[in-house]
Amino acid sequence: MQKKIKLIQKTRKKVALTYDPEDIDALVSKGIEQVEDGDLDGGKATFERAIELNPNSIEAHMNLSAVQEAQGDLNAAVATNQKATLVAPDFDGAYYNLGFLLEKMNLPVEAGVQSDKFRKIAGKYPYDPRHIVELQQEMIRRQKIEENNKTRGF
C-alpha cells in the first residue's frame, strides 16, 4: 500500500510538473526529485533551466551547487555559490556552503573569509532555532547524496 501511495504521489508531481514547465518552483521540485532518484545529470539540467528562466532563484542556485559538488566538480560548485551570494547577499547559507566547499578544496584562508561572512549574517538571528535545524538538514542531505553516489559508483 505504501509503495502505491508513493507512486501516486510521484505521478501527481510529474503531472503537475509537466503542466507548467516554466514554473520555477515546479522545476526546482522536479530537480530535487531527480537528484533523490539518483539522476544527477537530469537534476543538474533542470536546475540550470530554472536559473535560465529566473537568474534570481536562490533555491535553483543552491541545488545546482549541491549537484555539482556531488559530481565532484568543486570549481563549478564554488562558482555557482558565488553567483548565489550575488543573487541573495543576505542569505547566509550561500556563504556557509561556499566556506564548506573552499575548505574541501584545501583553501582555508578563502574558506575562513566566507565563514566570517556567514557568521556575520547568521549573527543577526542568533536565537532562531530554525537556522540551526536548516543547517543540520543540509548537512544530512549532503551526506545522503554522497553515500548514494558511493553506492552507485560515482
Side-chain angles (χ1 to χ4, degrees):
M1 183 65 170
Q2 184 107 6
K3 285 184 180 182
K4 186 175 181 180
I5 290 171
K6 285 186 178 183
L7 180 62
I8 291 169
Q9 289 171 337
K10 210 171 208 180
T11 304
R12 284 183 184 160
K13 280 184 187 176
K14 288 180 180 178
V15 168
L17 291 172
T18 56
Y19 180 71
D20 185 1
E22 296 198 7
D23 179 344
I24 302 303
D25 292 334
L27 282 171
V28 170
S29 294
K30 179 181 178 183
I32 291 169
E33 184 178 326
Q34 289 170 309
V35 170
E36 288 174 348
D37 288 345
D39 182 7
L40 296 179
D41 290 331
K44 181 179 174 184
T46 302
F47 296 133
E48 288 170 342
R49 174 70 178 141
I51 291 169
E52 184 181 304
L53 292 172
N54 180 3
N56 295 322
S57 172
I58 189 68
E59 294 85 3
H61 279 88
M62 298 306 292
N63 282 292
L64 175 59
S65 175
V67 170
Q68 291 165 330
E69 177 191 356
Q71 291 179 325
D73 192 351
L74 297 181
N75 289 324
V78 165
T80 300
N81 260 282
Q82 288 170 331
K83 289 177 188 170
T85 65
L86 297 174
V87 167
D90 288 335
F91 178 62
D92 60 352
Y95 298 101
Y96 176 85
N97 286 346
L98 195 49
F100 177 82
L101 291 166
L102 292 167
E103 188 69 39
K104 232 177 157 176
M105 295 172 73
N106 295 316
L107 298 168
V109 173
E110 294 86 344
V113 169
Q114 299 307 319
S115 295
D116 288 345
K117 289 179 183 178
F118 160 74
R119 282 191 288 280
K120 183 178 178 185
I121 294 169
K124 293 178 184 176
Y125 316 102
Y127 301 110
D128 187 350
R130 292 174 297 168
H131 175 70
I132 295 168
V133 171
E134 288 170 5
L135 290 177
Q136 290 171 337
Q137 289 172 341
E138 174 65 18
M139 292 306 296
I140 291 168
R141 186 181 69 77
R142 284 176 182 227
Q143 289 172 344
K144 286 181 182 179
I145 289 172
E146 285 183 22
E147 289 170 7
N148 219 2
N149 290 338
K150 285 179 186 176
T151 58
R152 289 193 166 101
F154 290 115

